[in-house]
Amino acid sequence: MTEIIVRPLEAHEESSWDAFVRNCGMGSLFHTTIWKSVINAAYDDGVYTIFGAFDNNRLVGGFCALLRNRLGVATAVMPLCTPYAGFIAPTSGEEKKNFAEGHSLTVLSSYLRNFRYQNLQCAPGLTGLQHLVSSGYHMTPRRTLELDLQQPEEKLWTGFSGQVRRNIKKAEKSGFEISNRWNGEQGYEIFRETFARHGEKCPVPKKLFLEIAGGDALTGNRRRYCAWRDGVMDSFLVALRYNGQVYYELAATNTPALKSGISSLLVWQILKDHLDGNWEVFDFVGANTPSITRFKEGFNPVVRSYNAVYCCTSKRIDLALKAQRLIRVW
């Protein structure tokens, strides 16, 4: 078996990496160089970096992470608004066997140990992670909710809960204009207000929000659904699209429109627009916050699991995280 080399991707290798991501089963938009450009254009704290695992100069795996220093310690973590990153692997051939048996994954995780705090969420479909546990990683099961976009529209509709169907019909009668027309300032204010209603500070910086919702890098991968009424944008849903997948990325509704049913109508609109046979799955991107999960569950999605991988070998970071958790409790 030849030696596998792990290193940051070089500029001339980006097209090869994107082809690798597209052809592997768990590859997502968030593993691509497109997403790398989005994060690095909008993130002031850290650099999103792609690492390739090479066997005789051939890609056999890799991982993506935001690299930054915390308390003088090198860390590798998930950027905000990035549901999946972490490890990806081939889905066929000898390379798949090597990854599944732990060889490639062991090399990748050994390299990742250069970062003394790691917290990454791997995409659904990645298996073989049991090899990480024996080397000191903690695995946390996560889940997302998905809808099959290959089914007939009528079957999709009848699967919705009665409340979702009523909300859609109510919103259809409420005089909303639904279009791509976008106002970034209004959009961010609606988004920020959503957290404020729950007594929380919006965790997503305005610069990152505007880059995802309106920046040039995602033009070919983005669809916006904005609900306007009386000159005001009351609600929006920003979806990202890649390789047969549609991701529910950013969404919010202002307080006066909360009972209008518009949030359900926007989801229904995007689903209908992607039932043309060219798209496979609508991913609600996460089912880990109870109130949001209840809304998503009304559309009758299926649960799909994935894993977060965590490892900390820095006492300084470990103590800081424990203190942070205590502050939240109190």
Side-chain angles (χ1 to χ4, degrees), residues 78-312:
M78 300 286 294
L80 293 165
C81 300
T82 306
Y84 314 120
F87 304 109
I88 59 170
T91 53
S92 63
E94 188 67 22
E95 293 88 354
K96 177 185 178 182
K97 180 182 177 183
N98 285 341
F99 194 94
E101 291 177 352
H103 178 59
S104 301
L105 184 57
T106 298
V107 175
L108 282 165
S109 60
S110 295
Y111 183 91
L112 195 53
R113 285 301 184 98
N114 289 313
F115 306 96
R116 299 187 62 196
Y117 173 70
Q118 310 152 34
N119 197 344
L120 303 171
Q121 291 183 168
C122 299
L126 182 64
T127 58
L129 294 177
Q130 65 272 13
H131 298 286
L132 293 177
V133 176
S134 59
S135 58
Y137 280 83
H138 299 277
M139 311 293 297
T140 303
R142 309 283 287 177
R143 64 188 191 123
T144 187
L145 300 172
E146 296 182 345
L147 281 168
D148 178 10
L149 295 176
Q150 296 288 307
Q151 61 183 305
E153 180 178 321
E154 181 62 26
K155 183 179 179 181
L156 190 63
W157 172 261
T158 56
F160 297 165
S161 71
Q163 184 63 51
V164 166
R165 293 198 298 269
R166 286 190 293 272
N167 283 341
I168 292 171
K169 292 176 180 178
K170 180 180 180 181
E172 288 175 333
K173 299 175 183 178
S174 298
F176 289 104
E177 171 208 343
I178 299 177
S179 70
N180 182 52
R181 183 158 61 100
W182 175 247
N183 183 305
E185 294 297 323
Q186 286 191 36
Y188 189 69
E189 181 55 28
I190 297 169
F191 191 70
R192 187 201 61 77
E193 182 190 61
T194 301
F195 291 91
R197 282 199 300 266
H198 297 91
E200 301 173 3
K201 181 181 178 181
C202 179
V204 180
K206 185 176 182 180
K207 186 177 179 181
L208 178 59
F209 175 91
L210 295 177
E211 182 67 28
I212 294 172
D216 292 339
L218 286 169
T219 298
N221 300 89
R222 178 179 56 230
R223 288 292 298 272
R224 284 191 303 256
Y225 293 77
C226 308
W228 292 79
R229 189 169 54 178
D230 300 328
V232 175
M233 189 168 71
D234 281 319
S235 184
F236 68 86
L237 192 165
V238 177
L240 299 179
R241 313 186 303 174
Y242 173 80
N243 201 23
Q245 308 283 314
V246 183
Y247 301 96
Y248 181 100
E249 177 66 8
L250 298 170
T253 298
N254 67 18
T255 302
L258 281 176
K259 296 182 179 180
S260 68
I262 188 58
S263 299
S264 296
L265 178 57
L266 292 184
V267 173
W268 178 227
Q269 188 63 57
I270 192 172
L271 292 174
K272 289 193 296 181
D273 286 354
H274 291 83
L275 294 176
D276 57 5
N278 295 318
W279 304 92
E280 297 175 5
V281 170
F282 180 80
D283 186 345
F284 272 110
V285 183
N288 305 297
T289 302
S291 59
I292 299 174
T293 299
R294 284 193 293 272
F295 167 74
K296 296 175 179 179
E297 286 176 338
F299 293 89
N300 194 31
V302 297
V303 177
R304 193 171 186 201
S305 298
Y306 59 100
N307 285 288
V309 297
Y310 165 85
C311 184
C312 181

Side-chain angles (χ1 to χ4, degrees), residues 52-71:
F54 295 86
D55 183 354
N56 285 330
N57 295 316
R58 179 181 56 181
L59 277 164
V60 295
F63 68 91
C64 311
L66 182 73
L67 309 184
R68 60 185 182 185
N69 286 326
R70 279 288 179 267
L71 302 176

Side-chain angles (χ1 to χ4, degrees), residues 5-24:
I5 304 297
V6 180
R7 57 174 172 77
L9 210 66
E10 297 180 9
H12 71 275
E13 296 167 327
E14 290 190 345
S15 60
S16 296
W17 172 263
D18 285 339
F20 177 81
V21 171
R22 181 172 288 274
N23 290 322
C24 82

